[in-house]
Amino acid sequence: MDISLSKREIELARLGRDFFEQVLAPLEILTDEHGELPKEQRKPLREQIVKWGLAGINHSKEDGGLGLTMLEQVVIEEQLGRATNGLWTCVWRPPVSLRYGTAKQKQEYLVPSNAGDRRGAFAITEPNAGSDNNAVTTSAVLENGRWKLNGEKWFVTSYKASDFIIVHAHVDGDPAKPTLFLVDSNADGVVHLRSPKFMHNYAFDHAELRFDDVMLAEDRMLGEIGQGFELTKRWFVEARLQIACHTLGAATRALDVANEFAGGRVQFGRPIRDFQAIEFMLADMAVDIYAGKSMLYRLAAEMDHGLDQKIIHARASAVKLFCSEMAGRVIDKAVQILGGRGYMRESPVERLYRDIRVDRIWEGTSEIQRVVIAGQIKKRGLDVYAGW
Ligand SMILES: Cc1cc2nc3c(=O)[nH]c(=O)nc-3n(C[C@H](O)[C@H](O)[C@H](O)COP(=O)(O)OP(=O)(O)OC[C@H]3O[C@@H](n4cnc5c(N)ncnc54)[C@H](O)[C@@H]3O)c2cc1C
């Protein structure tokens, strides 16, 4: 079994690393101090992304994307994940659900999103519908050939940096008809309630929105009536893999920083790495990263070899669960190794510590991933995870 990376994959990883170091890293402190990426930085950054050849990372060439394999995407995203303050999100990944749109929808939404001219936010969560997606009460009713949308959505990431929202609603308020809709942000009746502050200072906001009788043309429905959950599931798979990529990148950066610090910091007359307490932490961090990276790269390669969609969904949960929890353990140890310096905001490990906490919550909490994994074991047997 040859599992070495190809020359192209190594080159793409290098590209991602260079982009992080030269373009994203210089924006980190600025973003943290400002609370989000300052507005005046956004256009120049978009231009850099296009110039570096990173526009449309997750879509086919026919749809204006780069046509990369999953493993090629993973090696780039892992390097972008080194960035603090969620700056990796600036390298857009237009929602995969757009792939299932009509030719007209693709021309209007997907192609310009791949070019960086448009950006879409995704809204499923509501005040009373978090882990339980079926509890969504946002409704869409067809009236005289137009959809009427009503409801409230929370935690809509990147709302202010987007010009459209993919909204998960129930047609006629019926949970058996979950359906996606394309809503332009400037449509009448789209009300921005607020964008609260969170533990991390992320590149963009997380908004609370209300839809008050928002009227949509009939062709703003994405996919078919009742297909919403299936399309959202595809989004979850990709988003969970992306979380695995950036948490892996974050953990690896924290280990780099801690490893270097442990070699240079002298206490009691010797480098602290010579104390076994410190060296064992470095060893545990390295092993955690080795395990997470192995899982992620294996799944990406399997996806490129046509793994069944249901097994992809099952394994994506495991990879997301492991990598997000692994990064929490690794970065916590990095803070400990750096001592007081690890608690300073100017240190990347302090920022990573704040950033990484949400990865156990969004795109399905750790508990929900365990629910999925346990369900898969019951349904398909242990081989989904323990077999090869
Ligand atoms: C910064 C941020 C950005 C986000 N961005 C978006 C976005 O862009 N779009 C969007 O739609 N949503 C977004 N979300 C929402 C996110 O996906 C939800 O927060 C998440 O799914 C959990 O839902 P909840 O917060 O309502 O928690 P709840 O579902 O209320 O869960 C509370 C607790 O109960 C546990 N729990 C719930 N059900 C079970 C169960 N069956 N078994 C065991 N434990 C259970 C959970 O694991 C958790 O610990 C974002 C959230 C955050 C924090």
Side-chain angles (χ1 to χ4, degrees), residues 24 28 31-32 37 45 80-91 119 157-158 200-204 206 242 246 351-352 355-356 358-359 362:
L24 297 182
E28 290 183 325
T31 304
D32 200 36
L37 181 65
L45 180 52
L80 301 181
R82 291 183 156 255
T84 62
N85 303 97
L87 283 163
W88 42 264
T89 198
C90 297
V91 182
R119 187 170 174 126
T157 293
S158 306
H200 63 194
N201 288 321
Y202 190 73
F204 305 130
H206 308 288
Q242 196 197 2
H246 76 238
R351 297 195 302 278
L352 289 171
D355 291 348
I356 223 72
V358 75
D359 292 299
W362 61 10

PDB file of all heavy atoms in Angstrom, residues 24 28 31-32 37 45 80-91 119 157-158 200-204 206 242 246 351-352 355-356 358-359 362:
ATOM      1  N   LEU A  24      -2.165  35.458   5.652  1.00  0.00           N
ATOM      2  CA  LEU A  24      -3.095  35.396   6.791  1.00  0.00           C
ATOM      3  C   LEU A  24      -2.428  35.778   8.121  1.00  0.00           C
ATOM      4  O   LEU A  24      -3.007  36.541   8.903  1.00  0.00           O
ATOM      5  CB  LEU A  24      -3.720  34.001   6.903  1.00  0.00           C
ATOM      6  CG  LEU A  24      -4.595  33.552   5.714  1.00  0.00           C
ATOM      7  CD1 LEU A  24      -5.182  32.163   5.979  1.00  0.00           C
ATOM      8  CD2 LEU A  24      -5.727  34.546   5.439  1.00  0.00           C
ATOM      9  N   GLU A  28      -3.528  38.470  11.820  1.00  0.00           N
ATOM     10  CA  GLU A  28      -4.077  37.831  13.024  1.00  0.00           C
ATOM     11  C   GLU A  28      -4.309  38.799  14.188  1.00  0.00           C
ATOM     12  O   GLU A  28      -5.408  38.882  14.729  1.00  0.00           O
ATOM     13  CB  GLU A  28      -3.146  36.700  13.484  1.00  0.00           C
ATOM     14  CG  GLU A  28      -3.142  35.515  12.548  1.00  0.00           C
ATOM     15  CD  GLU A  28      -2.281  34.373  13.064  1.00  0.00           C
ATOM     16  OE1 GLU A  28      -1.231  34.639  13.701  1.00  0.00           O
ATOM     17  OE2 GLU A  28      -2.643  33.220  12.839  1.00  0.00           O
ATOM     18  N   THR A  31      -6.975  41.381  13.509  1.00  0.00           N
ATOM     19  CA  THR A  31      -8.332  40.828  13.585  1.00  0.00           C
ATOM     20  C   THR A  31      -8.731  40.614  15.038  1.00  0.00           C
ATOM     21  O   THR A  31      -9.859  40.914  15.444  1.00  0.00           O
ATOM     22  CB  THR A  31      -8.399  39.493  12.811  1.00  0.00           C
ATOM     23  OG1 THR A  31      -7.960  39.724  11.478  1.00  0.00           O
ATOM     24  CG2 THR A  31      -9.810  38.926  12.777  1.00  0.00           C
ATOM     25  N   ASP A  32      -7.795  40.119  15.854  1.00  0.00           N
ATOM     26  CA  ASP A  32      -8.118  39.857  17.256  1.00  0.00           C
ATOM     27  C   ASP A  32      -8.430  41.168  17.982  1.00  0.00           C
ATOM     28  O   ASP A  32      -9.403  41.253  18.727  1.00  0.00           O
ATOM     29  CB  ASP A  32      -6.945  39.122  17.925  1.00  0.00           C
ATOM     30  CG  ASP A  32      -7.392  38.416  19.194  1.00  0.00           C
ATOM     31  OD1 ASP A  32      -8.535  37.915  19.220  1.00  0.00           O
ATOM     32  OD2 ASP A  32      -6.621  38.377  20.165  1.00  0.00           O
ATOM     33  N   LEU A  37     -12.218  40.830  11.099  1.00  0.00           N
ATOM     34  CA  LEU A  37     -11.314  41.358  10.072  1.00  0.00           C
ATOM     35  C   LEU A  37     -11.808  42.742   9.648  1.00  0.00           C
ATOM     36  O   LEU A  37     -12.956  42.870   9.195  1.00  0.00           O
ATOM     37  CB  LEU A  37     -11.298  40.408   8.862  1.00  0.00           C
ATOM     38  CG  LEU A  37     -10.374  40.797   7.711  1.00  0.00           C
ATOM     39  CD1 LEU A  37      -8.907  40.755   8.117  1.00  0.00           C
ATOM     40  CD2 LEU A  37     -10.599  39.885   6.506  1.00  0.00           C
ATOM     41  N   LEU A  45      -7.786  41.243   0.571  1.00  0.00           N
ATOM     42  CA  LEU A  45      -7.580  39.826   0.871  1.00  0.00           C
ATOM     43  C   LEU A  45      -8.245  38.953  -0.196  1.00  0.00           C
ATOM     44  O   LEU A  45      -7.665  37.952  -0.646  1.00  0.00           O
ATOM     45  CB  LEU A  45      -8.112  39.491   2.274  1.00  0.00           C
ATOM     46  CG  LEU A  45      -7.958  38.042   2.722  1.00  0.00           C
ATOM     47  CD1 LEU A  45      -6.530  37.538   2.579  1.00  0.00           C
ATOM     48  CD2 LEU A  45      -8.412  37.865   4.175  1.00  0.00           C
ATOM     49  N   LEU A  80      -4.032  26.218   6.076  1.00  0.00           N
ATOM     50  CA  LEU A  80      -4.780  27.445   6.369  1.00  0.00           C
ATOM     51  C   LEU A  80      -5.254  27.441   7.825  1.00  0.00           C
ATOM     52  O   LEU A  80      -5.372  28.481   8.465  1.00  0.00           O
ATOM     53  CB  LEU A  80      -5.992  27.588   5.436  1.00  0.00           C
ATOM     54  CG  LEU A  80      -5.712  27.626   3.931  1.00  0.00           C
ATOM     55  CD1 LEU A  80      -7.017  27.797   3.157  1.00  0.00           C
ATOM     56  CD2 LEU A  80      -4.742  28.750   3.560  1.00  0.00           C
ATOM     57  N   GLY A  81      -5.504  26.215   8.347  1.00  0.00           N
ATOM     58  CA  GLY A  81      -5.985  26.062   9.726  1.00  0.00           C
ATOM     59  C   GLY A  81      -4.983  26.524  10.771  1.00  0.00           C
ATOM     60  O   GLY A  81      -5.329  26.667  11.947  1.00  0.00           O
ATOM     61  N   ARG A  82      -3.761  26.783  10.371  1.00  0.00           N
ATOM     62  CA  ARG A  82      -2.772  27.347  11.308  1.00  0.00           C
ATOM     63  C   ARG A  82      -3.178  28.754  11.745  1.00  0.00           C
ATOM     64  O   ARG A  82      -2.746  29.235  12.791  1.00  0.00           O
ATOM     65  CB  ARG A  82      -1.394  27.424  10.637  1.00  0.00           C
ATOM     66  CG  ARG A  82      -0.806  26.059  10.392  1.00  0.00           C
ATOM     67  CD  ARG A  82       0.582  26.160   9.790  1.00  0.00           C
ATOM     68  NE  ARG A  82       1.292  24.940  10.103  1.00  0.00           N
ATOM     69  CZ  ARG A  82       2.260  24.813  11.013  1.00  0.00           C
ATOM     70  NH1 ARG A  82       2.706  25.863  11.645  1.00  0.00           N
ATOM     71  NH2 ARG A  82       2.801  23.658  11.267  1.00  0.00           N
ATOM     72  N   ALA A  83      -3.973  29.412  10.894  1.00  0.00           N
ATOM     73  CA  ALA A  83      -4.325  30.811  11.170  1.00  0.00           C
ATOM     74  C   ALA A  83      -5.268  30.905  12.362  1.00  0.00           C
ATOM     75  O   ALA A  83      -6.198  30.108  12.501  1.00  0.00           O
ATOM     76  CB  ALA A  83      -5.004  31.417   9.946  1.00  0.00           C
ATOM     77  N   THR A  84      -5.036  31.901  13.216  1.00  0.00           N
ATOM     78  CA  THR A  84      -5.953  32.143  14.334  1.00  0.00           C
ATOM     79  C   THR A  84      -7.099  33.039  13.864  1.00  0.00           C
ATOM     80  O   THR A  84      -7.116  33.515  12.727  1.00  0.00           O
ATOM     81  CB  THR A  84      -5.231  32.817  15.519  1.00  0.00           C
ATOM     82  OG1 THR A  84      -4.737  34.091  15.097  1.00  0.00           O
ATOM     83  CG2 THR A  84      -4.078  31.964  16.019  1.00  0.00           C
ATOM     84  N   ASN A  85      -8.081  33.238  14.761  1.00  0.00           N
ATOM     85  CA  ASN A  85      -9.212  34.131  14.505  1.00  0.00           C
ATOM     86  C   ASN A  85     -10.038  33.707  13.289  1.00  0.00           C
ATOM     87  O   ASN A  85     -10.628  34.553  12.606  1.00  0.00           O
ATOM     88  CB  ASN A  85      -8.740  35.586  14.355  1.00  0.00           C
ATOM     89  CG  ASN A  85      -7.973  36.029  15.588  1.00  0.00           C
ATOM     90  OD1 ASN A  85      -6.744  35.991  15.609  1.00  0.00           O
ATOM     91  ND2 ASN A  85      -8.691  36.380  16.633  1.00  0.00           N
ATOM     92  N   GLY A  86     -10.022  32.417  13.013  1.00  0.00           N
ATOM     93  CA  GLY A  86     -10.857  31.901  11.921  1.00  0.00           C
ATOM     94  C   GLY A  86     -10.528  32.495  10.571  1.00  0.00           C
ATOM     95  O   GLY A  86     -11.367  32.488   9.667  1.00  0.00           O
ATOM     96  N   LEU A  87      -9.295  32.993  10.407  1.00  0.00           N
ATOM     97  CA  LEU A  87      -8.973  33.647   9.133  1.00  0.00           C
ATOM     98  C   LEU A  87      -8.981  32.664   7.962  1.00  0.00           C
ATOM     99  O   LEU A  87      -9.089  33.068   6.800  1.00  0.00           O
ATOM    100  CB  LEU A  87      -7.627  34.381   9.233  1.00  0.00           C
ATOM    101  CG  LEU A  87      -7.707  35.715   9.977  1.00  0.00           C
ATOM    102  CD1 LEU A  87      -6.321  36.186  10.406  1.00  0.00           C
ATOM    103  CD2 LEU A  87      -8.385  36.783   9.120  1.00  0.00           C
ATOM    104  N   TRP A  88      -8.885  31.377   8.272  1.00  0.00           N
ATOM    105  CA  TRP A  88      -8.969  30.357   7.211  1.00  0.00           C
ATOM    106  C   TRP A  88     -10.282  30.482   6.447  1.00  0.00           C
ATOM    107  O   TRP A  88     -10.365  30.136   5.281  1.00  0.00           O
ATOM    108  CB  TRP A  88      -8.812  28.945   7.788  1.00  0.00           C
ATOM    109  CG  TRP A  88      -9.562  28.754   9.073  1.00  0.00           C
ATOM    110  CD1 TRP A  88      -9.057  28.875  10.337  1.00  0.00           C
ATOM    111  CD2 TRP A  88     -10.971  28.473   9.241  1.00  0.00           C
ATOM    112  NE1 TRP A  88     -10.051  28.683  11.275  1.00  0.00           N
ATOM    113  CE2 TRP A  88     -11.222  28.431  10.629  1.00  0.00           C
ATOM    114  CE3 TRP A  88     -12.023  28.237   8.350  1.00  0.00           C
ATOM    115  CZ2 TRP A  88     -12.497  28.175  11.143  1.00  0.00           C
ATOM    116  CZ3 TRP A  88     -13.285  27.992   8.865  1.00  0.00           C
ATOM    117  CH2 TRP A  88     -13.509  27.957  10.244  1.00  0.00           C
ATOM    118  N   THR A  89     -11.325  30.993   7.111  1.00  0.00           N
ATOM    119  CA  THR A  89     -12.637  31.060   6.459  1.00  0.00           C
ATOM    120  C   THR A  89     -12.663  32.074   5.316  1.00  0.00           C
ATOM    121  O   THR A  89     -13.550  32.042   4.468  1.00  0.00           O
ATOM    122  CB  THR A  89     -13.752  31.388   7.482  1.00  0.00           C
ATOM    123  OG1 THR A  89     -15.007  31.031   6.899  1.00  0.00           O
ATOM    124  CG2 THR A  89     -13.798  32.859   7.865  1.00  0.00           C
ATOM    125  N   CYS A  90     -11.676  32.979   5.335  1.00  0.00           N
ATOM    126  CA  CYS A  90     -11.641  33.988   4.260  1.00  0.00           C
ATOM    127  C   CYS A  90     -11.421  33.324   2.904  1.00  0.00           C
ATOM    128  O   CYS A  90     -11.853  33.837   1.877  1.00  0.00           O
ATOM    129  CB  CYS A  90     -10.547  35.017   4.538  1.00  0.00           C
ATOM    130  SG  CYS A  90     -10.883  35.935   6.049  1.00  0.00           S
ATOM    131  N   VAL A  91     -10.714  32.186   2.905  1.00  0.00           N
ATOM    132  CA  VAL A  91     -10.549  31.437   1.648  1.00  0.00           C
ATOM    133  C   VAL A  91     -11.852  30.664   1.457  1.00  0.00           C
ATOM    134  O   VAL A  91     -12.060  29.610   2.041  1.00  0.00           O
ATOM    135  CB  VAL A  91      -9.333  30.487   1.716  1.00  0.00           C
ATOM    136  CG1 VAL A  91      -9.153  29.758   0.399  1.00  0.00           C
ATOM    137  CG2 VAL A  91      -8.077  31.275   2.071  1.00  0.00           C
ATOM    138  N   ARG A 119     -20.861  35.743  -1.782  1.00  0.00           N
ATOM    139  CA  ARG A 119     -20.588  34.825  -0.672  1.00  0.00           C
ATOM    140  C   ARG A 119     -21.919  34.464  -0.026  1.00  0.00           C
ATOM    141  O   ARG A 119     -22.787  35.321   0.128  1.00  0.00           O
ATOM    142  CB  ARG A 119     -19.650  35.484   0.352  1.00  0.00           C
ATOM    143  CG  ARG A 119     -19.203  34.499   1.428  1.00  0.00           C
ATOM    144  CD  ARG A 119     -18.086  35.051   2.310  1.00  0.00           C
ATOM    145  NE  ARG A 119     -17.849  34.078   3.368  1.00  0.00           N
ATOM    146  CZ  ARG A 119     -16.662  33.549   3.659  1.00  0.00           C
ATOM    147  NH1 ARG A 119     -15.593  33.914   2.995  1.00  0.00           N
ATOM    148  NH2 ARG A 119     -16.538  32.660   4.624  1.00  0.00           N
ATOM    149  N   THR A 157     -23.256  32.436  10.445  1.00  0.00           N
ATOM    150  CA  THR A 157     -21.850  32.824  10.324  1.00  0.00           C
ATOM    151  C   THR A 157     -21.586  33.551   9.011  1.00  0.00           C
ATOM    152  O   THR A 157     -22.065  33.137   7.959  1.00  0.00           O
ATOM    153  CB  THR A 157     -20.960  31.565  10.459  1.00  0.00           C
ATOM    154  OG1 THR A 157     -21.096  31.086  11.797  1.00  0.00           O
ATOM    155  CG2 THR A 157     -19.492  31.862  10.179  1.00  0.00           C
ATOM    156  N   SER A 158     -20.829  34.620   9.127  1.00  0.00           N
ATOM    157  CA  SER A 158     -20.381  35.425   7.974  1.00  0.00           C
ATOM    158  C   SER A 158     -21.544  36.169   7.301  1.00  0.00           C
ATOM    159  O   SER A 158     -21.458  36.508   6.120  1.00  0.00           O
ATOM    160  CB  SER A 158     -19.652  34.566   6.929  1.00  0.00           C
ATOM    161  OG  SER A 158     -18.599  33.861   7.529  1.00  0.00           O
ATOM    162  N   HIS A 200     -14.407  33.548  20.627  1.00  0.00           N
ATOM    163  CA  HIS A 200     -13.343  33.860  19.664  1.00  0.00           C
ATOM    164  C   HIS A 200     -13.598  35.220  19.010  1.00  0.00           C
ATOM    165  O   HIS A 200     -14.730  35.691  18.984  1.00  0.00           O
ATOM    166  CB  HIS A 200     -13.207  32.769  18.597  1.00  0.00           C
ATOM    167  CG  HIS A 200     -14.422  32.584  17.707  1.00  0.00           C
ATOM    168  ND1 HIS A 200     -14.571  31.480  16.902  1.00  0.00           N
ATOM    169  CD2 HIS A 200     -15.524  33.345  17.467  1.00  0.00           C
ATOM    170  CE1 HIS A 200     -15.701  31.582  16.223  1.00  0.00           C
ATOM    171  NE2 HIS A 200     -16.294  32.693  16.545  1.00  0.00           N
ATOM    172  N   ASN A 201     -12.556  35.820  18.496  1.00  0.00           N
ATOM    173  CA  ASN A 201     -12.710  36.958  17.598  1.00  0.00           C
ATOM    174  C   ASN A 201     -12.465  36.404  16.202  1.00  0.00           C
ATOM    175  O   ASN A 201     -11.342  36.140  15.809  1.00  0.00           O
ATOM    176  CB  ASN A 201     -11.715  38.065  17.931  1.00  0.00           C
ATOM    177  CG  ASN A 201     -12.098  38.769  19.215  1.00  0.00           C
ATOM    178  OD1 ASN A 201     -13.270  38.993  19.466  1.00  0.00           O
ATOM    179  ND2 ASN A 201     -11.116  39.082  20.043  1.00  0.00           N
ATOM    180  N   TYR A 202     -13.531  36.200  15.505  1.00  0.00           N
ATOM    181  CA  TYR A 202     -13.530  35.493  14.221  1.00  0.00           C
ATOM    182  C   TYR A 202     -13.446  36.521  13.094  1.00  0.00           C
ATOM    183  O   TYR A 202     -13.806  37.688  13.284  1.00  0.00           O
ATOM    184  CB  TYR A 202     -14.847  34.729  14.164  1.00  0.00           C
ATOM    185  CG  TYR A 202     -15.039  33.734  13.067  1.00  0.00           C
ATOM    186  CD1 TYR A 202     -14.372  32.509  13.069  1.00  0.00           C
ATOM    187  CD2 TYR A 202     -15.945  33.985  12.039  1.00  0.00           C
ATOM    188  CE1 TYR A 202     -14.610  31.575  12.084  1.00  0.00           C
ATOM    189  CE2 TYR A 202     -16.190  33.043  11.050  1.00  0.00           C
ATOM    190  CZ  TYR A 202     -15.521  31.845  11.078  1.00  0.00           C
ATOM    191  OH  TYR A 202     -15.761  30.913  10.101  1.00  0.00           O
ATOM    192  N   ALA A 203     -13.014  36.087  11.920  1.00  0.00           N
ATOM    193  CA  ALA A 203     -12.883  37.014  10.788  1.00  0.00           C
ATOM    194  C   ALA A 203     -14.189  37.762  10.521  1.00  0.00           C
ATOM    195  O   ALA A 203     -14.181  38.957  10.254  1.00  0.00           O
ATOM    196  CB  ALA A 203     -12.450  36.245   9.546  1.00  0.00           C
ATOM    197  N   PHE A 204     -15.317  37.027  10.595  1.00  0.00           N
ATOM    198  CA  PHE A 204     -16.603  37.641  10.291  1.00  0.00           C
ATOM    199  C   PHE A 204     -17.570  37.448  11.470  1.00  0.00           C
ATOM    200  O   PHE A 204     -17.194  36.857  12.480  1.00  0.00           O
ATOM    201  CB  PHE A 204     -17.186  37.039   9.008  1.00  0.00           C
ATOM    202  CG  PHE A 204     -16.253  37.131   7.815  1.00  0.00           C
ATOM    203  CD1 PHE A 204     -15.987  36.017   7.031  1.00  0.00           C
ATOM    204  CD2 PHE A 204     -15.629  38.329   7.488  1.00  0.00           C
ATOM    205  CE1 PHE A 204     -15.128  36.094   5.937  1.00  0.00           C
ATOM    206  CE2 PHE A 204     -14.761  38.422   6.401  1.00  0.00           C
ATOM    207  CZ  PHE A 204     -14.509  37.290   5.617  1.00  0.00           C
ATOM    208  N   HIS A 206     -21.402  36.454  13.491  1.00  0.00           N
ATOM    209  CA  HIS A 206     -22.395  35.374  13.583  1.00  0.00           C
ATOM    210  C   HIS A 206     -23.710  36.079  13.939  1.00  0.00           C
ATOM    211  O   HIS A 206     -23.854  36.589  15.059  1.00  0.00           O
ATOM    212  CB  HIS A 206     -22.043  34.384  14.688  1.00  0.00           C
ATOM    213  CG  HIS A 206     -20.630  33.858  14.608  1.00  0.00           C
ATOM    214  ND1 HIS A 206     -20.207  32.977  13.646  1.00  0.00           N
ATOM    215  CD2 HIS A 206     -19.543  34.098  15.382  1.00  0.00           C
ATOM    216  CE1 HIS A 206     -18.934  32.688  13.836  1.00  0.00           C
ATOM    217  NE2 HIS A 206     -18.502  33.360  14.877  1.00  0.00           N
ATOM    218  N   GLN A 242     -13.759  19.978   6.939  1.00  0.00           N
ATOM    219  CA  GLN A 242     -13.009  21.231   7.003  1.00  0.00           C
ATOM    220  C   GLN A 242     -12.605  21.534   8.446  1.00  0.00           C
ATOM    221  O   GLN A 242     -11.500  21.992   8.714  1.00  0.00           O
ATOM    222  CB  GLN A 242     -13.810  22.389   6.413  1.00  0.00           C
ATOM    223  CG  GLN A 242     -12.895  23.571   6.128  1.00  0.00           C
ATOM    224  CD  GLN A 242     -13.617  24.881   5.919  1.00  0.00           C
ATOM    225  OE1 GLN A 242     -14.841  24.946   6.027  1.00  0.00           O
ATOM    226  NE2 GLN A 242     -12.872  25.921   5.618  1.00  0.00           N
ATOM    227  N   HIS A 246      -8.826  22.219   9.802  1.00  0.00           N
ATOM    228  CA  HIS A 246      -8.251  23.395  10.464  1.00  0.00           C
ATOM    229  C   HIS A 246      -7.897  23.121  11.917  1.00  0.00           C
ATOM    230  O   HIS A 246      -6.971  23.728  12.445  1.00  0.00           O
ATOM    231  CB  HIS A 246      -9.076  24.668  10.215  1.00  0.00           C
ATOM    232  CG  HIS A 246     -10.331  24.804  10.980  1.00  0.00           C
ATOM    233  ND1 HIS A 246     -11.557  24.963  10.393  1.00  0.00           N
ATOM    234  CD2 HIS A 246     -10.554  24.835  12.297  1.00  0.00           C
ATOM    235  CE1 HIS A 246     -12.476  25.083  11.325  1.00  0.00           C
ATOM    236  NE2 HIS A 246     -11.899  24.996  12.484  1.00  0.00           N
ATOM    237  N   ARG A 351      -4.586  32.469  21.391  1.00  0.00           N
ATOM    238  CA  ARG A 351      -5.685  32.716  20.435  1.00  0.00           C
ATOM    239  C   ARG A 351      -6.265  31.386  19.939  1.00  0.00           C
ATOM    240  O   ARG A 351      -7.482  31.230  19.815  1.00  0.00           O
ATOM    241  CB  ARG A 351      -5.195  33.593  19.276  1.00  0.00           C
ATOM    242  CG  ARG A 351      -4.739  34.988  19.734  1.00  0.00           C
ATOM    243  CD  ARG A 351      -4.602  35.954  18.569  1.00  0.00           C
ATOM    244  NE  ARG A 351      -3.671  35.510  17.543  1.00  0.00           N
ATOM    245  CZ  ARG A 351      -2.353  35.656  17.601  1.00  0.00           C
ATOM    246  NH1 ARG A 351      -1.793  36.244  18.644  1.00  0.00           N
ATOM    247  NH2 ARG A 351      -1.572  35.224  16.615  1.00  0.00           N
ATOM    248  N   LEU A 352      -5.384  30.426  19.675  1.00  0.00           N
ATOM    249  CA  LEU A 352      -5.880  29.117  19.227  1.00  0.00           C
ATOM    250  C   LEU A 352      -6.749  28.472  20.306  1.00  0.00           C
ATOM    251  O   LEU A 352      -7.745  27.815  20.004  1.00  0.00           O
ATOM    252  CB  LEU A 352      -4.702  28.188  18.881  1.00  0.00           C
ATOM    253  CG  LEU A 352      -3.918  28.545  17.613  1.00  0.00           C
ATOM    254  CD1 LEU A 352      -2.653  27.694  17.508  1.00  0.00           C
ATOM    255  CD2 LEU A 352      -4.766  28.364  16.359  1.00  0.00           C
ATOM    256  N   ASP A 355     -10.037  29.992  19.976  1.00  0.00           N
ATOM    257  CA  ASP A 355     -10.655  29.675  18.675  1.00  0.00           C
ATOM    258  C   ASP A 355     -11.219  28.263  18.625  1.00  0.00           C
ATOM    259  O   ASP A 355     -12.271  28.022  18.046  1.00  0.00           O
ATOM    260  CB  ASP A 355      -9.599  29.749  17.554  1.00  0.00           C
ATOM    261  CG  ASP A 355      -9.118  31.156  17.274  1.00  0.00           C
ATOM    262  OD1 ASP A 355      -9.744  32.115  17.768  1.00  0.00           O
ATOM    263  OD2 ASP A 355      -8.097  31.290  16.561  1.00  0.00           O
ATOM    264  N   ILE A 356     -10.475  27.337  19.190  1.00  0.00           N
ATOM    265  CA  ILE A 356     -10.728  25.923  18.931  1.00  0.00           C
ATOM    266  C   ILE A 356     -11.906  25.371  19.724  1.00  0.00           C
ATOM    267  O   ILE A 356     -12.436  24.318  19.400  1.00  0.00           O
ATOM    268  CB  ILE A 356      -9.422  25.136  19.257  1.00  0.00           C
ATOM    269  CG1 ILE A 356      -9.164  24.102  18.184  1.00  0.00           C
ATOM    270  CG2 ILE A 356      -9.420  24.557  20.626  1.00  0.00           C
ATOM    271  CD1 ILE A 356      -8.723  24.701  16.901  1.00  0.00           C
ATOM    272  N   VAL A 358     -15.001  26.236  19.866  1.00  0.00           N
ATOM    273  CA  VAL A 358     -16.266  26.123  19.145  1.00  0.00           C
ATOM    274  C   VAL A 358     -16.315  24.881  18.241  1.00  0.00           C
ATOM    275  O   VAL A 358     -17.387  24.422  17.851  1.00  0.00           O
ATOM    276  CB  VAL A 358     -16.554  27.410  18.320  1.00  0.00           C
ATOM    277  CG1 VAL A 358     -15.679  27.492  17.068  1.00  0.00           C
ATOM    278  CG2 VAL A 358     -18.016  27.490  17.951  1.00  0.00           C
ATOM    279  N   ASP A 359     -15.159  24.344  17.931  1.00  0.00           N
ATOM    280  CA  ASP A 359     -15.144  23.193  17.020  1.00  0.00           C
ATOM    281  C   ASP A 359     -15.776  21.942  17.625  1.00  0.00           C
ATOM    282  O   ASP A 359     -16.075  20.993  16.917  1.00  0.00           O
ATOM    283  CB  ASP A 359     -13.714  22.920  16.541  1.00  0.00           C
ATOM    284  CG  ASP A 359     -13.242  24.043  15.643  1.00  0.00           C
ATOM    285  OD1 ASP A 359     -13.877  24.247  14.601  1.00  0.00           O
ATOM    286  OD2 ASP A 359     -12.281  24.755  16.003  1.00  0.00           O
ATOM    287  N   TRP A 362     -19.981  23.582  16.903  1.00  0.00           N
ATOM    288  CA  TRP A 362     -20.684  23.845  15.636  1.00  0.00           C
ATOM    289  C   TRP A 362     -20.557  22.665  14.664  1.00  0.00           C
ATOM    290  O   TRP A 362     -19.740  21.792  14.856  1.00  0.00           O
ATOM    291  CB  TRP A 362     -20.264  25.170  15.002  1.00  0.00           C
ATOM    292  CG  TRP A 362     -18.816  25.374  14.612  1.00  0.00           C
ATOM    293  CD1 TRP A 362     -17.831  24.436  14.585  1.00  0.00           C
ATOM    294  CD2 TRP A 362     -18.220  26.602  14.189  1.00  0.00           C
ATOM    295  NE1 TRP A 362     -16.655  25.000  14.174  1.00  0.00           N
ATOM    296  CE2 TRP A 362     -16.868  26.333  13.916  1.00  0.00           C
ATOM    297  CE3 TRP A 362     -18.685  27.899  14.001  1.00  0.00           C
ATOM    298  CZ2 TRP A 362     -15.979  27.319  13.477  1.00  0.00           C
ATOM    299  CZ3 TRP A 362     -17.792  28.870  13.565  1.00  0.00           C
ATOM    300  CH2 TRP A 362     -16.467  28.575  13.307  1.00  0.00           C
TER     301      TRP A 362
END
